[in-house]
Amino acid sequence: AFVLEMRKHRVVRPLLRVAEAYGGPLVNREAGSAGAAVDTSVREPLSADGTVNSDNAYAVLLLNSPSQIHRPFFGSLWRGASVTVCADGGATRLHRTFRTEYVPTMIAGDFDSLSTEARDTFRESGSKVIPLPDQSKNDFEKCLELLAAGTGSVDAKPLHEVYVFGGLDGRLDHTFANVGVVQKFAERFQGGIFLISGYSIATLLAPGSYEVHAYTQYEGLTCGLLPVIGPATKVTTHGLKWDITDTEISMGGYVNSSNAFAEAGPAASTSDDTAWAVAAGRHVVLIETNAPILWTTEIKDSSKNGES
């Protein structure tokens, strides 16, 4: 039997929010008859009275990065977020691309790249401007500290996850630093921190067992598992084209890049989640790791989704 069948594991759905925002059919394994797929209502981060459902509250963070803004994902996630943040020049980028269509809850950083026009426009529109001059941390880390402390949250309720646009493209040292920041704050947000570019989405998997759902409407077949701090000496997958069993992944050794989802999905169902996800046409991958690894998938039609 596959090793994950007998162990508890965490379900990870990186693009669940996007799927819900677009109103696509989700499968409710409890409401339908055996194996039947039924539509469910959209899970909203806000209740009818405007308060945040603590299990659904999330933030969107825009970094000052040259990466493309995936327009469909950005708009749907931004509109449903309980907190929206621009890291320094991310506000300049937001203003240049969308003008005042999207106004952040707050702008934070050392402001070495924030334009006066963007700062004044957003401040007049209600954004909180928070100068954070500490040069021992990058602006991404400073913003996550604010979010982890509950700054800007409705009713100060904890955030479940954070979606970060930028951080995967541009200068290599910035990319590595951003991945390090994600690892530092991974345990502060139960639902995860997701880095989104015009080409990829990535999230850190801490040591443990996972069931990852990929939304075939938005994610392509290509995926990968990458080491982040030292080797992961025992990594096992099920549901990939090239599965691995108790395999070591390390820089300078084997790196599981350019893998792909198996079209049939995992042969062994480890939970009801697996069964209804496969029935809904999603890719499901079971992963077990004894050290932090970065899980990444490609975004479909990335060439069509960048900013103009």
Side-chain angles (χ1 to χ4, degrees):
F2 184 64
V3 64
L4 294 185
E5 287 188 294
M6 301 304 294
R7 302 187 182 185
K8 292 182 179 179
H9 57 273
R10 174 179 158 195
V11 178
V12 179
R13 304 183 182 100
L15 293 182
L16 174 64
R17 303 289 185 188
V18 175
E20 290 175 341
Y22 282 119
L26 303 179
V27 179
N28 183 341
R29 63 178 180 276
E30 296 176 352
S33 57
V38 297
D39 290 347
T40 65
S41 59
V42 175
R43 294 195 312 162
E44 296 288 354
L46 297 180
S47 299
D49 61 0
T51 59
V52 175
N53 296 321
S54 60
D55 58 335
N56 289 335
Y58 69 91
V60 171
L61 170 58
L62 177 62
L63 303 183
N64 183 23
S65 162
S67 65
Q68 295 177 318
I69 296 177
H70 192 293
R71 284 177 178 269
F73 292 176
F74 184 81
S76 60
L77 288 169
W78 186 280
R79 286 188 292 270
S82 59
V83 186
T84 54
V85 188
C86 287
D88 199 352
T92 303
R93 183 179 172 208
L94 181 70
H95 184 258
R96 183 182 67 243
T97 306
F98 299 105
R99 306 310 292 175
T100 57
E101 181 179 355
Y102 301 115
V103 176
T105 307
M106 55 186 173
I107 304 167
D110 59 14
F111 298 158
D112 62 348
S113 56
L114 174 63
S115 71
T116 301
E117 181 182 10
R119 181 199 63 198
D120 293 347
T121 298
F122 287 136
R123 177 185 279 155
E124 291 171 1
S125 299
S127 298
K128 186 175 183 180
V129 179
I130 306 174
L132 299 171
D134 185 357
Q135 295 299 302
S136 66
K137 304 172 183 176
N138 66 20
D139 290 328
F140 180 25
E141 181 173 354
K142 297 172 191 176
C143 288
L144 285 182
E145 285 181 340
L146 290 175
L147 292 173
T151 305
S153 296
V154 178
D155 295 333
K157 292 187 176 181
L159 295 167
H160 189 252
E161 67 236 31
V162 181
Y163 294 89
V164 183
F165 285 83
L168 289 179
D169 298 314
R171 279 172 38 193
L172 185 61
D173 59 332
H174 281 169
T175 300
F176 272 75
N178 291 336
V179 171
V181 170
V182 169
Q183 180 172 359
K184 182 175 181 178
F185 284 85
E187 297 303 315
R188 303 292 294 274
F189 302 98
Q190 184 180 2
I193 301 172
F194 301 97
L195 300 176
I196 304 173
S197 73
Y199 301 91
S200 303
I201 182 167
T203 191
L204 186 80
L205 303 182
S209 300
Y210 297 85
E211 179 173 312
V212 180
H213 295 194
Y215 290 77
T216 55
Q217 184 176 353
Y218 315 111
E219 295 174 85
L221 290 174
T222 306
C223 57
L225 293 164
L226 310 175
V228 289
I229 288 190
T233 58
K234 294 184 68 176
V235 180
T236 296
T237 69
H238 202 65
L240 295 179
K241 185 175 182 179
W242 296 284
D243 276 321
I244 56 178
T245 302
D246 291 339
T247 300
E248 178 173 314
I249 296 177
S250 65
M251 290 296 183
Y254 173 68
V255 175
N256 194 269
S257 62
S258 299
N259 209 323
F261 296 105
E263 293 187 10
S269 292
T270 65
S271 71
D272 290 339
D273 278 309
T274 308
W276 68 257
V278 172
R282 303 176 196 170
H283 294 299
V284 177
V285 180
L286 310 177
I287 302 170
E288 184 172 271
T289 178
N290 68 343
I293 55 176
L294 197 69
W295 165 257
T296 179
T297 62
E298 68 172 336
I299 292 176
K300 280 186 175 179
D301 300 325
S302 60
S303 63
K304 301 177 182 179
N305 298 316
E307 57 186 287
S308 57

